[in-house]
Amino acid sequence: MGRAGTGTGGAAVAVVVAVAGPLLLMLLAGPPPTAAGDSRKSDIRLVSEHFSQSPQKLSFYSWYGSARLFHFRVPPDAVLLRWLLQVSRGSSPACANVEITVYFRYGAPPVINPLGTSFPANTSVQSPFFIKMLQSNASINISHPAPGDWFVAAHLPPSSQKIEMKGFAPTCAYIFQPDMLVVRAVEVFILEPNVPLPQTLLSHPSYLKIFIPEYTRELRLELQGCVSNGSLGCPVRLTVGSATLPRNFQKVLTCISPTWACHLFLPSPPGDRWLQVTAKSLAGPHVLVAFRAIAALTACRPWNLNSQHLLQSSPNQSCNASTGLLPPSPGCHGLGRSSRVGGGPFCLVSYPVIREDMDVVSVRFWPADRVSVLVRPATPSVMRLYLSTGMDSGGSLTISLQANKTAITNNTLVAVCLNAASPFLGFNTSLNCTTAFFQGHPLSLSAASRKADLIIPYPETDNWYLSLQIVCPESPEECEQASVLVETTLSLVPCLNDCGPYGQCLLLRRLSYLYAGCSCKAGWRGWSCTDNSTAQTVAQQRVATLLLTLSNLMFLAPIAVSVHRSFLVEASVYAYTMFFSTFYHACDQPGEAVLCILGYDTLQYCDFLGSGVSIWVTILCMARLKAAQKHVLFLLGTLIFAMSLQLDRRGAWNMMGPCLFAFVVMVTMWVYRCGRRRRCYPTSWQRWVFYLLPGISMAAVAVAIYTSMMTSDNYYYTHSIWHMLLAGSAAFLLPPREQHAKPWACSQKLTCHYQICKNHQEDLYTVT
């Protein structure tokens, strides 16, 4: 007899499934449904729970790190899941209506591709489930959601190529917050195997669940004795399994005709967990329907090659791969077609797998005996990959198989299936790798192709099973004594091939959940930076590096002018800027043309500091201050730049603020001299025409290019022009030396052929 229960028992990890039934109801916008036909609103067997997370600011999409990820956990026995999506934006004029894309996935972060780039070869990717929001709020309902991890990701449209300086371009903040409302059943009937469970339906559905042991070959659900108000009809709909996204393989059994057998077969159901079953009447709100539900499980007896068997079996006692003979050793005995234990046949050979954690989102799997897996035609060879920790879904699962060259023949095929939640065991009837609630990933090894690879980005949180079996589609008799050794390389990596030479693997975090993504450069795109449709060639990379580095040689002009006019402090600042800007851009380049003499962050800081101080000292030099005042301001400005760049290196006003102060000082000094001399300062029209106006024009063009014209595509050219214009304007704007004395004038000659040289401007003495 069945009994009502509230506990879950067993594992609560849900299965990965694909799209099927009409039970996924999507409602965009609007309040929760209040139609009279909604039987849940007055059902006392249901309780509701509300989960929320802190909002995040959305970004325009450029790579996976631009998407904002949210991680929720759905409790067991949930019958309805409602996502409430709220978007708020700032009140500035720059806040326009933009399209927000929201993705949903069960078991792992969604694999998205807004830019339409290509994935690496042998990558299996499912189309994501997403909606586009044009309004401020939206909602989505999912009936019978799978318990476990659910992920929501959101982003703004793809970003433009324009490089905008922080503080100049108007910005708008778009804040996104999803809330999760769950309706959960507190009265669930437990359906025991081979025990009829009477049920009566009137206006509310009935919620049942059955525990599926591990390695269950088949589940059979059947309705018996179904009557409706005394008639023989059976207006009942059974929904088996839980809904997942992006695909849903829920099974729906509708029983209407009394002459049909009302039953459902589920091959290889997910093991070691509860399976949810919902029975709903189709006869109307006031029609009584009674039936009995019966569940029958077909057990699967695995042959476990445990460590004791492996230790007792020497290499000479192992299964002979060349002849297919099976000596009576503990590791190989009883794997034939007629082998039985306790009257039941072996359905698979389970190879023990060692999980070795290497690093964050980095795991390696290998057989316990560190040898190849023996594959035979009688029963599948199965390896279980433990990816159910909850922290393994943020990387990429890589599968690499290679068959022995001499063991596989022309008519022999090694069929391989990779499935989550339960192994695929039906190689003798089909090769589609489909289990009860999962569409597996098929692979094959043959004489023509002895190697197979598979990559699964962000695998679902679950136990994964790799099943291998020899099949002979053309001549089955050749498979009787066949056996093949298959070498396996199984691993979970943060990024495939570490994102290659043109990408950087970055570890991302949302609260306590960690996942990885590739940030590409040099025009390369894609999930693993393998899409070269817009990539730069090596020649283009070298040209870009030469432009950005050699353009700094223009600072030789202001250095020479400064030395000639005895502005030694200014000359040292320009030399500092030229040196660090050259090597910063040599280190900042993607791809092959890279040279880093110091750490990247150090070079970047020194480059930004040198650029700001160069502008600072140039403007103050034009002010013609007294030497003491000028040097105090030089030092004070350098300290202010060092502090502001440490606070925010990309902030526009951190650099423009001190420069504007220096400009005010210069204008004040010029106006003071104009008032005292009763004439315009500088007094010479040649100074204005040949020096000041060209220098000011070059500086204005440089600022315009730096703030509004740079894009990702023209950065190498426009930034090189910025270097040359900045250095050229400094050379033109530096004032002439003082006219009352020549620098380094020799005031006295000694008979010993030494000269004491005096500089009246700087009060410096030297012996030459």
Side-chain angles (χ1 to χ4, degrees):
M1 186 68 180
R3 62 184 184 275
T6 58
T8 58
V13 181
V15 211
V16 179
V17 282
V19 180
L23 298 178
L24 176 62
L25 173 64
M26 185 176 71
L27 299 176
L28 297 182
T34 57
D38 190 358
S39 60
R40 285 188 290 264
K41 64 180 182 178
S42 59
D43 196 340
I44 61 174
R45 302 171 302 168
L46 305 178
V47 296
S48 61
E49 298 175 348
H50 185 192
F51 302 88
S52 181
Q53 287 191 11
S54 58
Q56 296 189 68
K57 181 181 178 181
L58 298 181
S59 300
F60 291 94
Y61 188 86
S62 59
W63 66 294
Y64 198 88
S66 306
R68 298 294 174 257
L69 189 69
F70 298 84
H71 180 201
F72 292 89
R73 286 195 63 87
V74 174
D77 302 328
V79 298
L80 179 65
L81 168 62
R82 158 157 288 204
W83 298 104
L84 300 178
L85 311 177
Q86 305 176 41
V87 177
S88 59
R89 63 183 184 184
S91 58
S92 66
C95 293
N97 290 326
V98 297
E99 189 177 66
I100 299 173
T101 307
V102 186
Y103 302 84
F104 301 86
R105 190 185 179 192
Y106 166 75
V111 180
I112 63 178
N113 189 18
L115 303 179
T117 58
S118 62
F119 285 84
N122 305 314
T123 302
S124 178
V125 179
Q126 299 178 4
S127 299
F129 178 85
F130 64 92
I131 65 169
K132 293 183 179 293
M133 297 176 55
L134 296 176
Q135 304 177 10
S136 59
N137 297 303
S139 66
I140 287 185
N141 288 359
I142 302 176
S143 297
H144 310 294
D149 296 332
W150 283 79
F151 293 85
V152 179
H155 63 78
L156 298 176
S159 60
S160 63
Q161 297 296 320
K162 186 176 180 181
I163 300 176
E164 297 179 343
M165 192 173 182
K166 183 178 178 180
F168 273 90
T171 59
C172 179
Y174 296 88
I175 308 299
F176 178 76
Q177 180 178 12
D179 290 343
M180 185 179 73
L181 275 69
V182 176
V183 178
R184 183 171 57 87
V186 295
E187 185 181 82
V188 181
F189 293 95
I190 296 179
L191 184 59
E192 298 181 1
N194 302 316
V195 178
L197 178 63
Q199 290 289 298
T200 302
L201 301 178
L202 185 59
S203 59
H204 300 303
S206 180
Y207 304 107
L208 306 87
K209 63 181 179 180
I210 178 173
F211 185 77
I212 308 297
E214 191 175 12
Y215 295 124
T216 299
R217 179 185 287 272
E218 186 181 74
L219 168 64
R220 174 188 171 96
L221 287 176
E222 185 176 359
L223 297 186
Q224 297 179 350
C226 184
V227 293
S228 173
N229 281 353
S231 64
L232 298 178
C234 189
V236 176
R237 172 179 293 169
L238 282 185
T239 303
V240 184
S242 302
T244 61
L245 295 176
R247 296 190 297 178
N248 176 26
F249 269 167
Q250 278 181 306
K251 306 300 180 182
V252 179
L253 175 62
T254 303
C255 303
I256 299 178
S257 175
T259 60
W260 294 353
C262 193
H263 58 264
L264 178 66
F265 292 95
L266 296 176
S268 298
D272 198 21
R273 70 196 65 193
W274 291 95
L275 183 63
Q276 185 178 7
V277 180
T278 303
K280 184 177 181 181
S281 173
L282 302 178
H286 302 292
V287 179
L288 186 67
V289 179
F291 63 91
R292 294 191 307 273
I294 300 179
L297 301 176
T298 302
C300 171
R301 296 179 179 271
W303 181 268
N304 294 307
L305 295 179
N306 55 34
S307 58
Q308 182 179 0
H309 290 160
L310 295 173
L311 291 175
Q312 293 176 355
S313 300
S314 64
N316 296 328
Q317 291 177 319
S318 61
C319 303
N320 194 321
S322 60
T323 63
L325 298 178
L326 294 172
S329 63
C332 299
H333 177 68
L335 301 185
R337 296 180 183 274
S338 60
S339 302
R340 294 176 179 270
V341 172
F346 293 128
C347 63
L348 59 91
V349 180
S350 178
Y351 280 82
V353 176
I354 295 179
R355 172 190 166 112
E356 181 181 2
D357 291 280
M358 311 290 291
D359 203 341
V360 180
V361 202
S362 181
V363 181
R364 186 178 65 166
F365 300 94
W366 37 276
D369 57 348
R370 297 178 180 264
V371 297
S372 302
V373 175
L374 180 65
V375 183
R376 296 185 52 79
T379 52
S381 300
V382 177
M383 301 176 65
R384 178 167 61 178
L385 311 180
Y386 298 90
L387 294 175
S388 56
T389 64
M391 298 299 294
D392 301 325
S393 57
S396 295
L397 178 62
T398 62
I399 307 294
S400 181
L401 306 174
Q402 186 169 0
N404 189 293
K405 295 182 179 180
T406 59
I408 191 167
T409 63
N410 292 331
N411 296 326
T412 303
L413 179 70
V414 179
V416 184
C417 288
L418 180 66
N419 294 70
S422 60
F424 178 75
L425 305 176
F427 288 102
N428 296 327
T429 58
S430 175
L431 300 178
N432 59 6
C433 298
T434 301
T435 57
F437 298 102
F438 189 81
Q439 174 57 55
H441 306 274
L443 295 171
S444 63
L445 301 173
S446 62
S449 178
R450 303 179 186 274
K451 188 175 182 180
D453 298 296
L454 178 65
I455 303 168
I456 302 178
Y458 294 163
E460 292 88 346
T461 297
D462 214 323
N463 288 328
W464 287 71
Y465 295 87
L466 184 66
S467 306
L468 306 91
Q469 184 173 334
I470 296 178
V471 295
C472 298
E474 298 181 0
S475 52
E477 62 277 359
E478 294 187 11
C479 286
E480 293 295 333
Q481 299 297 328
S483 60
V484 177
L485 288 174
V486 177
E487 297 180 2
T488 61
T489 304
L490 316 173
S491 61
L492 178 72
V493 296
C495 303
L496 184 64
N497 295 329
D498 203 23
C499 300
Y502 299 103
Q504 183 179 8
C505 184
L506 299 177
L507 192 63
L508 309 172
R509 182 179 68 89
R510 171 57 181 167
L511 299 180
S512 61
Y513 180 76
L514 299 175
Y515 59 106
C518 286
S519 177
C520 307
K521 48 191 178 182
W524 290 75
R525 306 188 303 167
W527 188 262
S528 300
C529 302
T530 56
D531 189 340
N532 61 352
S533 57
T534 60
Q536 298 177 355
T537 63
V538 176
Q540 289 175 328
Q541 296 176 36
R542 292 174 179 172
V543 169
T545 303
L546 291 175
L547 283 175
L548 289 170
T549 54
L550 297 182
S551 60
N552 288 286
L553 295 179
M554 276 293 295
F555 277 96
L556 292 175
I559 292 174
V561 172
S562 300
V563 171
H564 178 70
R565 299 178 183 177
S566 301
F567 300 137
L568 300 183
V569 176
E570 291 83 342
S572 62
V573 172
Y574 298 143
Y576 175 94
T577 303
M578 179 181 69
F579 178 84
F580 281 104
S581 180
T582 299
F583 285 100
Y584 163 66
H585 287 290
C587 183
D588 186 44
Q589 296 310 301
E592 298 182 1
V594 179
L595 174 63
C596 297
I597 63 172
L598 293 174
Y600 176 83
D601 188 71
T602 302
L603 290 173
Q604 184 187 69
Y605 181 83
C606 294
D607 173 55
F608 285 25
L609 179 63
S611 300
V613 176
S614 295
I615 300 174
W616 172 264
V617 299
T618 302
I619 298 176
L620 290 180
C621 187
M622 295 172 61
R624 288 288 194 174
L625 299 170
K626 294 182 179 180
Q629 297 173 345
K630 183 176 70 171
H631 293 138
V632 168
L633 289 178
F634 279 1
L635 181 58
L636 182 61
T638 303
L639 296 176
I640 293 176
F641 270 110
M643 178 196 66
S644 61
L645 292 176
Q646 182 65 29
L647 294 175
D648 186 2
R649 202 169 296 179
R650 300 288 182 178
W653 291 107
N654 289 351
M655 182 175 293
M656 298 299 296
C659 293
L660 289 177
F661 175 78
F663 182 78
V664 170
V665 172
M666 183 197 72
V667 172
T668 302
M669 294 303 299
W670 283 17
V671 171
Y672 170 75
R673 289 190 177 92
C674 288
R676 194 179 68 172
R677 299 182 182 184
R678 305 286 185 180
R679 57 187 302 184
C680 183
Y681 182 85
T683 58
S684 172
W685 66 268
Q686 293 93 342
R687 179 69 185 165
W688 281 97
V689 173
F690 296 112
Y691 295 96
L692 293 181
L693 292 180
I696 295 173
S697 301
M698 295 174 68
V701 173
V703 172
I705 291 176
Y706 189 79
T707 57
S708 61
M709 297 178 62
M710 287 188 186
T711 65
S712 299
D713 295 331
N714 66 13
Y715 172 79
Y716 309 104
Y717 313 106
T718 54
H719 200 76
S720 300
I721 296 174
W722 150 261
H723 287 165
M724 294 185 288
L725 291 176
L726 181 65
S729 64
F732 277 98
L733 294 176
L734 284 174
R737 60 175 175 261
E738 296 289 345
Q739 298 180 356
H740 66 271
K742 294 183 180 181
W744 305 103
C746 296
S747 58
Q748 182 179 2
K749 291 185 179 181
L750 301 179
T751 56
C752 59
H753 304 291
Y754 282 92
Q755 296 178 342
I756 297 179
C757 299
K758 178 181 179 182
N759 186 309
H760 295 282
Q761 184 176 356
E762 301 292 346
D763 294 331
L764 298 177
Y765 291 84
T766 185
V767 178
T768 60

